[in-house]
Amino acid sequence: MSLIGTEVQPFNAKAFKNGEFVDVTEENFKGQWSVVCFYPADFSFVCPTELEDLQNEYAALQELGAEVYSVSTDTHFVHKGWHDSSEKINKITYTMIGDPSQKISRNFEVLNEEEGLADRGTFIIDPDGVIQTVEINAGGIGRDASNLVGKIRAAQYVRQNPGEVCPAKWEEGSETLTPSLDLVGKI
């Protein structure tokens, strides 16, 4: 079953953010746009490159009213240890959620049950706590966080302009489509 259009399921978790441990629930994903990026494990290989890339886009995402969360099945203590010891991870200022119970990973359907680790899943959640985009990559394929900026802009436009849709490679200010009987077969 697709998670698109579904509300984020309840959870409670501990996280590491800006030198502090904080509590996070599904309620944190409401009231603003949220980007939730699952990754397999701290102290690994592709993961630090992705999380650093996400940090590099964090300011642009915040300008769009989006908050960023990373999630792995590690604990919040491990996130702090990784933050303190890795040059790439030390740059991170967004919330790093620990999911040792694997509940959040299961809720988002990214848990690899055999390994006990999360797949590389990226979710954009609207201010009502409803999932609007899902992308899941195989373990060896890193993500490009710059794509999230355009996806958030498109999701915000569609939310503010019911009846219009954004075509491929849509950029803010460019033409959208209004699906109708007259448009069928003409694109």
Side-chain angles (χ1 to χ4, degrees):
M1 182 176 120
S2 174
L3 291 176
I4 299 289
T6 64
E7 197 167 331
V8 174
Q9 295 178 33
F11 71 88
N12 291 298
K14 297 283 187 192
F16 178 75
K17 181 175 182 168
N18 294 328
E20 296 183 43
F21 294 132
V22 297
D23 293 316
V24 180
T25 74
E26 75 284 354
E27 293 299 316
N28 290 87
F29 299 162
K30 294 182 180 177
Q32 82 281 319
W33 290 85
S34 299
V35 174
V36 180
C37 290
F38 288 85
Y39 63 97
D42 292 3
F43 295 100
S44 57
F45 312 102
V46 176
C47 300
T49 66
E50 288 185 310
L51 297 183
E52 178 186 40
D53 184 46
L54 191 56
Q55 177 62 39
N56 292 341
E57 297 297 330
Y58 187 35
L61 291 164
Q62 285 183 306
E63 286 175 19
L64 294 172
E67 190 50 57
V68 172
Y69 303 86
S70 64
V71 185
S72 77
T73 56
D74 297 292
T75 67
H76 56 295
F77 298 115
V78 177
H79 290 335
K80 182 193 183 313
W82 195 26
H83 189 273
D84 291 350
S85 64
S86 168
E87 185 178 310
K88 290 185 181 303
I89 301 306
N90 186 262
K91 299 173 187 175
I92 292 174
T93 58
Y94 54 79
T95 304
M96 300 178 74
I97 301 173
D99 184 29
S101 71
Q102 304 171 342
K103 180 175 184 171
I104 308 167
S105 299
R106 276 194 188 89
N107 287 353
F108 281 85
E109 298 181 7
V110 295
L111 182 65
N112 179 322
E113 296 280 350
E114 284 186 23
E115 295 180 6
L117 303 174
D119 287 328
R120 294 186 196 291
T122 307
F123 299 80
I124 295 175
I125 301 165
D126 72 20
D128 298 320
V130 176
I131 297 169
Q132 295 298 320
T133 74
V134 175
E135 177 184 358
I136 300 174
N137 292 7
I141 303 170
R143 296 162 282 187
D144 180 349
S146 68
N147 293 329
L148 294 168
V149 174
K151 287 181 182 181
I152 293 271
R153 284 190 178 124
Q156 289 173 339
Y157 184 89
V158 168
R159 181 179 170 96
Q160 294 166 354
N161 298 278
E164 293 184 48
V165 295
C166 297
K169 297 188 178 183
W170 179 84
E171 292 182 8
E172 193 169 31
S174 64
E175 200 172 315
T176 59
L177 302 172
T178 304
S180 69
L181 186 59
D182 294 336
L183 194 59
V184 174
K186 296 185 178 151
I187 299 175

